[in-house]
Amino acid sequence: MTAGGTVAVAVVGVFAELLRRQNATLSEVRDQVSNTHDTNLRDDLDAVMFRIDRVIDNQGRHGEALERHSDDITALRVEIAHERRERLSVEDRLDDHIASFIP
């Protein structure tokens, strides 16, 4: 065997090893991307992103509803405080009226 033949065999051997390693790497990537899914990974990601966008939109509406509820509760507190003041005022006047009849 000549030196050129030896070099050619070595180059073919190195090339075959590089192809084997690349094939192993590609198989590993394919397993991580496709696994056993029946659908395309990109389609799955698009569906997840759509759902996340819907959740974010709903959170905004939820925040608006909470703000309206807070405003309603504040208004109720103001009305209750007003009703309490009026009730106490009537109670004081009634006590004074009753006291005027007691000798």
Side-chain angles (χ1 to χ4, degrees):
M1 185 175 250
T2 64
T6 304
V7 170
V9 169
V11 168
V12 169
V14 168
F15 186 69
E17 178 61 22
L18 288 174
L19 284 177
R20 186 190 66 74
R21 288 182 184 182
Q22 185 177 17
N23 186 37
T25 302
L26 288 175
S27 294
E28 191 176 315
V29 169
R30 187 178 310 111
D31 289 342
Q32 290 179 13
V33 172
S34 64
N35 288 336
T36 57
H37 298 281
D38 294 333
T39 59
N40 186 332
L41 179 61
R42 178 62 191 188
D43 294 337
D44 293 344
L45 289 175
D46 288 344
V48 169
M49 291 304 297
F50 174 74
R51 289 183 182 116
I52 289 173
D53 289 342
R54 285 180 51 200
V55 167
I56 291 169
D57 290 343
N58 287 334
Q59 282 181 335
R61 284 191 288 265
H62 181 71
E64 291 168 1
L66 285 176
E67 189 172 324
R68 284 191 309 272
H69 291 161
S70 178
D71 292 344
D72 290 346
I73 290 170
T74 300
L76 286 171
R77 286 181 173 181
V78 168
E79 288 178 28
I80 289 171
H82 177 72
E83 291 291 328
R84 184 172 187 266
R85 284 191 304 273
E86 285 184 352
R87 182 183 49 82
L88 291 174
S89 174
V90 168
E91 183 180 321
D92 288 342
R93 285 196 324 253
L94 186 58
D95 286 346
D96 290 345
H97 182 70
I98 291 172
S100 70
F101 288 109
I102 298 177

